[in-house]
Amino acid sequence: MSHDPCRDDLRPVTGGWADPTLRTEERVEALLAVMTLEEKLAQLTGVWVAVENGADGGHEVAPHQHDMSDDRSFDEIICNGIGQLTRVYGSRPVEPVDGARALAETQRLLRERTRLGIPAMVHEECLAGLTAYRAAAFPTPLALAATFDPTSVQEMTSLIGEDMRLLGVHQGLAPVLDVIRDSRWGRAEETLGEDPHLVSVMATAYVRGLEDAGVIATLKHFAGYSASRAGRNLAPVSVGPREFADVLLPPFEAALREGGARSVMHSYTDVDGVPSVADRRLLTELLREEWGFDGVVVADYFGIAFLETLHRLAASPGEAAALALRAGVDVELPTVRCYGEPLADQVRSGRVGIDLVDRSVRRVLRQKIDLGLLDPSWTPEPPVLSDRPDIELDSVRHRAVARRLAERSVVLLANDGTLPLSPAVRSVAVVGPCADDPLTFLGCYSFANHVGANHPEAGLGIDVPTVLSALRAQLPDLSVEHVRGCAVDGADRSEFPDALAAAARADLCLAVLGDRAGLFGDGTSGEGCDVLDLSLPGVQGELLEQLVGTGTPVVLVTVTGRPYAVGAWSDRLAAHVQAFFPGEEGGTALAAVLSGEVSPSGRLPVQFPRGAGGQPAGYLHAPLGGRSEVSAADPTPLYAFGHGLSYTSFAYSELGIADPSLDTAGETTLSCVLTNTGERNGTEVVQLYLTDPVAQVTRPVQQLAGFTRVTLDPGDSARVTFRLHTDRTAFTGRSMHKIVEPGTLEVRIGSSACDLPLHGTIELTGQVRQVGHDRVLLTPVEVEPLTREPVAAAEGSLGMGLLS
């Protein structure tokens, strides 16, 4: 064994922990018994190899990244072992097989040059695809939510998980379960929308795909991150405990219980003065003691150190470590700062008990055993080096799934009949900064924007057709003239005249406007790219105003990470199409929708404001949160949550309520008949909403309780049946316990929060009933074809019947 700079007096040891025939707990205890304090703490920390050796080129992909770097050599850092390796593939452009070889060498060093030879877990970002060079860039989570299609999301994450496993990556730092509370927040693009039930269903599907592939899913950010004041990143959170329990926590409950996630990441923010990273009530009492979570809680990057440097709850790294460990944070990521020598000093001095260290080490060792890292058969070489040396991270299958999700995420917000493009349109002026820039189709956590932007010499690594190129390919006989008009941001208007002239010459103007994702102010959307209001970035609004003034019909296509206010132009547009960073196949998907090859089926996961101010606002509000006679400020949205048009039409009929009177501990079915009344095939997203008109606390005017996608041919019908348990009506009462309350419950079914043609009531009888974490969290849905052709309804399935 090579010389170890940290110790010469300890010899390599082996023990029963390597025996896979023993129970996991026996193996854990056998290993724990021979570990020194330093070796235990090493398992609770990570190392960011690319940062420590300077291979990242000095570019930051995390806040305070280089301020927090370790000045020790790599050999010194790992001499007692290491718990995690940070972002081996996602810190710089590296060919996948080359990255696998480098990872194998690092794992080999850990096995051969440390006393216990414990391999590291490897984690990587995978929010919208594996954040690695040449890996597929899928739609962002907000776009995934717009599909209302959990089955395809699970297929996507199964692909991502398979790639990660082949590359030797054990843990994915996704999904984001934060519910949008203010769309000015730069990370809105990373969320699954503004409704907790929608987030719950989509996140559960996301988690199942990763976990079924053998990769640990990490739920983040626990909890309250998206509710920061004024939508500012890391800003304090001021929400009451009822909103926290009923809006922000349910997605985490569902993804843990229904999805099986094995890791949770704390939030950066503080809630009412208590940072999540130091909140024992949240991370231990609620998460573990009440919910029964037995996995590993990891720190968001540098989150423990921020207790000293940003939150000011600790006077030293050691004090920060003590606060986090007591609260229930098991692993410090991404590097060693607080859980190394500073925490060791706290233990040696008696200020922190060794039992707390052992508690977290046990959790980490269990996961490593479950992953097979301590088995004799384990090898440092990732499977790709022996099984798939020709691995394609952006294969035909990847692109097919990316295309399907992109197509289903496109939302047709408005249309006067101009779309799909008719043969009468012979010339189109394609204007706008997002028309021919592939990066505007990718989110902040795509490799190209997250890392690749700092390495332009490497190129994108994948093919990303733009709207311009895809439209030309889709409609080769169409005369297309392109003028950018302006940049995404900035005040340069010098290209306005050329854009206006092109629009005036054309039969139709396609204005492709929106965002460019980036980090910490380098984009108009993304982590740290918060905004003061929801005006279109830069001078794009001015360009749009002048384009609609040319007299040429304007179809607006917004490619964004958040909803923007377009109310000033909505009644002057021929059509409006929305795409939330639809990924590598987004341009192709948009061209298919514009041409009519694909009928749009996306629905809004977040409402669109009419004006740029008035934030925060959302559909999930109490009666006085909407339009009222006591305020001149009208928050009524331009387009409601769940809204989306099609190229065909649908009719709702025959509302059925199996049990108009129901005990507070009962279950019933609600049904309707959906008919395609148009002239072409199309997909409708059938949505179930509940209203509690009289309750002991103020309740939302209405709230999504179930949904499913239904595809029908012209003239065909299907019966959609929701199985509703009364647990789904539960809310946090005055006692601060979740309760089901007797009384009248209003039921509404339709196509959006503002288009619900079917109305009925259920009378809940009996006593107020308290429910807990074991309550029913989801609403199963069944679709029965009523015509000769089968109905494509399995799109709403999560594998246990048809779950909404």
Side-chain angles (χ1 to χ4, degrees):
M1 186 172 70
S2 301
H3 173 70
D4 187 330
C6 298
R7 84 174 76 75
D8 293 312
D9 59 328
L10 296 178
R11 301 290 183 183
V13 297
T14 57
W17 64 82
D19 184 354
T21 66
L22 296 178
R23 292 186 302 109
T24 296
E25 292 304 320
E26 292 178 306
R27 298 174 69 182
V28 168
E29 294 306 317
L31 182 49
L32 195 67
V34 300
M35 296 178 79
T36 66
L37 173 61
E38 291 75 17
E39 287 169 335
K40 291 176 179 179
L41 294 179
Q43 291 302 309
L44 307 185
T45 58
V47 60
W48 199 339
V49 178
V51 173
E52 304 305 343
N53 66 20
D56 66 332
H59 302 293
E60 295 209 342
V61 296
H64 301 267
Q65 174 177 311
H66 291 90
D67 296 341
M68 299 288 183
S69 62
D70 199 315
D71 58 5
R72 295 176 297 164
S73 70
F74 181 70
D75 283 346
E76 290 175 310
I77 293 172
I78 69 164
C79 65
N80 291 301
I82 202 71
Q84 293 246 357
L85 291 174
T86 296
R87 306 202 59 188
V88 174
Y89 297 93
S91 298
R92 65 196 187 284
V94 57
E95 295 293 343
V97 172
D98 292 339
R101 292 193 184 103
L103 173 58
E105 180 58 26
T106 302
Q107 293 282 40
R108 191 174 294 109
L109 287 174
L110 286 170
R111 165 166 276 191
E112 296 175 355
R113 299 184 60 182
T114 63
R115 188 175 74 100
L116 300 174
I118 303 173
M121 283 180 58
V122 181
H123 70 258
E124 190 50 82
E125 299 284 359
C126 60
L127 187 66
L130 176 60
T131 306
Y133 189 53
R134 301 200 187 283
F138 294 99
T140 55
L142 197 56
L144 298 177
T147 69
F148 282 68
D149 181 3
T151 299
S152 291
V153 169
Q154 183 169 336
E155 184 177 353
M156 177 196 80
T157 53
S158 294
L159 273 175
I160 296 170
E162 179 183 342
D163 291 339
M164 296 173 81
R165 185 175 51 79
L166 287 171
L167 291 170
V169 180
H170 309 106
Q171 181 171 1
L173 302 188
V176 169
L177 277 69
D178 298 298
V179 179
I180 290 181
R181 304 302 283 164
D182 189 334
S183 292
R184 293 175 297 179
W185 190 44
R187 303 191 78 165
E189 64 173 75
E190 299 179 43
T191 75
L192 289 161
E194 68 173 314
D195 178 83
H197 180 64
L198 176 62
V199 177
S200 295
V201 173
M202 303 302 282
T204 295
Y206 193 111
V207 168
R208 285 182 178 177
L210 283 185
E211 290 284 354
D212 287 351
V215 172
I216 294 172
T218 306
L219 309 184
K220 59 186 192 182
H221 307 84
F222 193 65
Y225 192 19
S226 58
S228 59
R229 292 178 189 164
R232 294 180 61 248
N233 198 37
L234 273 67
V237 172
S238 299
V239 300
R242 188 167 289 105
E243 179 182 350
F244 195 81
D246 290 350
V247 177
L248 301 176
L249 289 181
F252 290 93
E253 288 187 87
L256 287 171
R257 207 181 82 195
E258 304 289 341
R262 288 179 283 173
S263 182
V264 170
M265 175 183 283
H266 73 76
S267 166
Y268 279 133
T269 51
D270 72 78
V271 179
D272 195 25
V274 181
S276 298
V277 63
D279 191 347
R280 186 184 186 280
R281 179 196 57 80
L282 178 71
L283 299 181
T284 296
E285 294 176 16
L286 177 68
L287 179 62
R288 294 193 182 277
E289 295 172 5
E290 185 174 336
W291 290 1
F293 176 67
D294 62 358
V296 174
V297 174
V298 300
D300 204 343
Y301 282 16
F302 312 115
I304 298 174
F306 287 167
L307 285 171
E308 176 194 8
T309 60
L310 299 183
H311 293 297
R312 302 183 184 178
L313 261 68
S316 68
E319 289 185 13
L323 285 170
L325 189 68
R326 290 190 189 107
V329 179
D330 299 310
V331 175
E332 179 180 20
L333 297 181
T335 58
V336 187
R337 183 171 177 86
C338 300
Y339 274 17
E341 190 58 29
L343 181 53
D345 287 343
Q346 294 280 315
V347 175
R348 295 188 194 106
S349 68
R351 292 189 290 272
V352 172
I354 189 64
D355 59 312
L356 292 179
V357 175
D358 288 349
R359 179 181 70 177
S360 290
V361 174
R362 285 188 176 96
R363 293 167 181 164
V364 169
L365 295 179
R366 282 191 208 107
Q367 283 202 341
K368 290 194 172 186
I369 289 171
D370 289 344
L371 291 166
L373 299 183
L374 300 186
D375 292 349
S377 60
W378 179 84
T379 174
E381 285 74 23
V384 65
L385 296 180
S386 56
D387 299 344
R388 294 271 297 277
D390 58 343
I391 186 172
E392 289 186 67
L393 302 180
D394 191 26
S395 67
V396 171
R397 185 181 174 199
H398 288 83
R399 297 199 75 95
V401 174
R403 171 89 181 253
R404 185 198 319 150
L405 285 165
E407 289 176 348
R408 295 181 180 185
S409 74
V410 174
V411 186
L412 180 60
L413 296 176
N415 186 22
D416 67 0
T418 299
L419 295 180
L421 295 174
S422 74
V425 176
R426 298 182 179 277
S427 62
V428 173
V430 179
V431 176
C434 300
D436 198 34
D437 181 355
L439 292 176
T440 61
F441 293 87
L442 309 179
C444 174
Y445 271 78
S446 68
F447 185 87
N449 281 328
H450 200 71
V451 179
N454 297 318
H455 302 273
E457 73 285 351
L460 293 180
I462 55 175
D463 181 33
V464 185
T466 65
V467 171
L468 179 65
S469 63
L471 192 64
R472 283 173 168 161
Q474 184 82 27
L475 299 172
D477 296 330
L478 184 67
S479 174
V480 176
E481 181 179 5
H482 170 242
V483 180
R484 189 180 69 154
C486 66
V488 167
D489 55 3
D492 186 359
R493 301 169 179 81
S494 62
E495 298 177 56
F496 276 24
D498 290 342
L500 298 175
R505 288 191 293 268
D507 295 334
L508 180 76
C509 176
L510 191 67
V512 190
L513 310 179
D515 279 319
R516 167 79 180 271
L519 287 165
F520 313 118
D522 286 340
T524 58
S525 175
E527 187 172 357
C529 299
D530 316 311
V531 294
L532 297 177
D533 62 35
L534 295 178
S535 302
L536 283 168
V539 294
Q540 294 182 78
E542 295 180 35
L543 176 62
L544 181 58
E545 175 67 31
Q546 294 190 34
L547 288 172
V548 298
T550 63
T552 299
V554 175
V555 172
L556 173 62
V557 176
T558 40
V559 183
T560 68
R562 59 165 66 87
Y564 283 106
V566 294
W569 307 283
S570 59
D571 59 352
R572 293 182 284 164
L573 296 172
H576 183 184
V577 177
Q578 170 65 35
F580 294 106
F581 291 150
E584 64 184 20
E585 287 289 335
T588 307
L590 280 166
V593 168
L594 293 168
S595 70
E597 177 188 337
V598 170
S599 183
S601 62
R603 300 294 183 264
L604 286 181
V606 56
Q607 69 178 25
F608 262 58
R610 187 171 298 275
Q615 286 294 302
Y619 100 95
L620 202 63
H621 61 75
L624 287 177
R627 183 178 182 178
S628 72
E629 296 178 354
V630 297
S631 174
D634 184 0
T636 303
L638 179 63
Y639 302 116
F641 173 86
H643 171 71
L645 304 178
S646 175
Y647 290 154
T648 189
S649 56
F650 296 93
Y652 288 79
S653 63
E654 300 183 33
L655 174 65
I657 300 177
D659 301 283
S661 180
L662 187 66
D663 185 81
T664 54
E667 181 180 87
T668 189
T669 59
L670 311 171
S671 64
C672 71
V673 172
L674 179 73
T675 302
N676 183 341
T677 56
E679 298 180 352
R680 62 175 290 172
N681 174 281
T683 298
E684 175 73 317
V685 178
V686 180
Q687 301 166 42
L688 166 67
Y689 291 82
L690 302 179
T691 295
D692 188 353
V694 179
Q696 62 179 254
V697 297
T698 57
R699 301 285 294 127
V701 172
Q702 59 189 7
Q703 186 165 356
L704 184 71
F707 64 86
T708 193
R709 290 172 58 94
V710 182
T711 301
L712 294 172
D713 286 330
D716 282 358
S717 299
R719 186 178 303 279
V720 180
T721 302
F722 297 92
R723 192 167 77 245
L724 182 74
H725 195 283
T726 54
D727 284 359
R728 297 288 292 112
T729 72
F731 62 91
T732 302
R734 293 192 182 188
S735 67
M736 297 313 300
H737 296 293
K738 284 196 182 295
I739 60 169
V740 176
E741 192 176 45
T744 300
L745 180 71
E746 296 179 2
V747 175
R748 303 172 182 177
I749 297 177
S751 61
S752 78
C754 72
D755 186 6
L756 299 167
L758 301 183
H759 291 240
T761 60
I762 298 174
E763 196 68 27
L764 297 183
T765 63
Q767 302 298 312
V768 173
R769 184 169 64 91
Q770 184 174 319
V771 298
H773 178 59
D774 60 348
R775 69 192 185 281
V776 176
L777 299 176
L778 301 176
T779 306
V781 188
E782 295 179 357
V783 179
E784 175 192 2
L786 299 179
T787 50
R788 63 187 183 280
E789 297 296 332
V791 178
E795 298 160 355
S797 172
L798 279 177
M800 297 171 57
L802 292 177
L803 297 183
S804 70

